[in-house]
């Protein structure tokens, strides 16, 4: 149960999409096991927002777009370092759809990200150049939301970058690690957990 004033509190559910679940193109271990718990949280919050990773075919974060590159290698883009991924969450495909059991009907906003071919977006607030806003910060501020609770996929990428940006923008932030699952490459889970802790993110 959320401990904060319901009226100024939002639950942001990150990327509960088929491609991040077992059988998907960028499957996160246990990705589907958190859906029931997330549905319970959705019931308890007055305000629910979903994010949806939403890439055009041939997206620059796909290893297949870069000749001779393999998934999980790093490349340098104009905006800095970028991990390459298997093709995933391509706009309009089954893989980009929400998991069939996710209770998404209550959501007031679905924020899509990663739809610009030349730039990836882990965070729900800013694309990976850390400059291009998605509009979510303005949406929350305009609606008087002060506290955000985040859960979903993946803990060490989209959940973590969203949490860090939310904290940097002055929102109170809680992450639900038990209702999130990690990709965990090259120690990314530990790195991002400590970055979140240092940024004042609360865990519940
Ligand atoms: C994600 C890698 C690529 C995520 C999205 O949702 O964490 N990770 N695209
Ligand atoms: Zn993606």
């Amino acid at each position: 149960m959320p401990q904060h004033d319901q009226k100024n509190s939002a639950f942001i559910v990150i990327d509960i999409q088929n491609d991040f679940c077992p059988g998907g193109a960028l499957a996160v271990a246990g990705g589907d096991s958190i859906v029931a718990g997330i549905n319970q949280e959705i019931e308890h919050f007055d305000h629910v927002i979903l994010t949806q990773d939403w890439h055009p075919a041939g997206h620059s974060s796909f290893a297949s777009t870069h000749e001779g590159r393999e998934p999980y290698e790093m490349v340098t883009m104009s905006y800095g370092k970028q991990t390459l991924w298997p093709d995933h969450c391509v706009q309009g495909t089954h893989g980009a759809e929400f998991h069939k059991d996710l209770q998404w009907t209550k959501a007031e906003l679905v924020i899509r990200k990663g739809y610009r071919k030349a730039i990836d977006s882990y965070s729900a607030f800013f694309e990976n150049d850390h400059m291009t806003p998605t509009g979510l910060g303005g949406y929350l501020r305009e609606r008087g939301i002060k506290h955000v609770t985040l859960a979903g996929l993946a803990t060490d990428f989209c959940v973590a970058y969203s949490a860090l940006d939310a904290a940097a923008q002055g929102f109170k932030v809680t992450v639900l690690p038990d209702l999130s699952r990690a990709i965990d490459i090259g120690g990314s889970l530990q790195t991002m957990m400590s970055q979140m802790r240092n940024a004042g993110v609360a865990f519940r």
Side-chain angles (χ1 to χ4, degrees):
M1 277 283 278
Q3 285 120 17
H4 297 265
D5 185 357
Q6 285 280 21
K7 275 192 221 23
N8 59 25
S9 197
F11 185 35
I12 306 182
V13 180
I14 305 288
D15 296 359
I16 304 294
Q17 293 167 261
N18 292 324
D19 270 343
F20 297 123
C21 291
L26 179 37
V28 180
D32 56 346
S33 68
I34 59 176
V35 176
I38 284 180
N39 287 342
Q40 286 187 346
E41 290 292 331
I42 286 174
E43 278 186 41
H44 293 309
F45 277 87
D46 278 2
H47 302 292
V48 175
I49 293 164
L50 310 177
T51 69
Q52 190 171 25
D53 211 37
W54 194 250
H55 301 305
H59 191 258
S60 58
S61 76
F62 296 169
S64 64
T65 305
H66 304 262
E67 205 175 314
R69 296 295 189 157
E70 296 293 330
Y72 311 106
E73 285 181 17
M74 293 282 268
V75 290
T76 302
M77 305 279 213
S78 59
Y79 53 83
K81 284 201 152 117
Q82 170 70 49
T83 303
L84 295 179
W85 304 106
D87 291 23
H88 66 280
C89 297
V90 174
Q91 297 170 358
T93 64
H94 173 78
E97 284 172 19
F98 293 118
H99 186 282
K100 65 171 173 40
D101 297 331
L102 181 68
Q103 292 293 316
W104 51 263
T105 50
K106 188 175 172 181
E108 297 173 357
L109 176 73
V110 177
I111 191 116
R112 287 180 172 155
K113 58 184 181 58
Y115 52 74
R116 288 188 180 85
K117 209 166 194 167
I119 183 167
D120 202 6
S121 187
Y122 296 148
S123 163
F125 291 89
F126 290 98
E127 302 194 19
N128 284 8
D129 60 358
H130 305 294
M131 281 173 52
T132 307
T134 63
L136 180 58
Y139 175 90
L140 295 173
R141 277 188 291 275
E142 193 163 4
R143 298 199 57 209
I145 304 283
K146 309 255 187 264
H147 180 247
V148 294
T149 298
L150 295 106
L153 304 171
T155 319
D156 45 345
F157 286 91
C158 291
V159 174
Y161 283 91
S162 299
L164 291 172
D165 279 350
Q169 290 204 57
F171 296 101
K172 276 195 218 148
V173 187
T174 302
V175 164
L176 310 180
D178 291 349
L179 294 180
S180 303
R181 290 292 181 273
I183 296 173
D184 202 13
I185 41 170
S188 55
L189 179 58
Q190 215 191 320
T191 302
M192 297 314 291
M193 286 298 281
S194 66
Q195 281 195 32
M196 287 193 277
R197 212 168 283 121
N198 293 340
V201 171
F203 299 101
R204 165 160 79 79

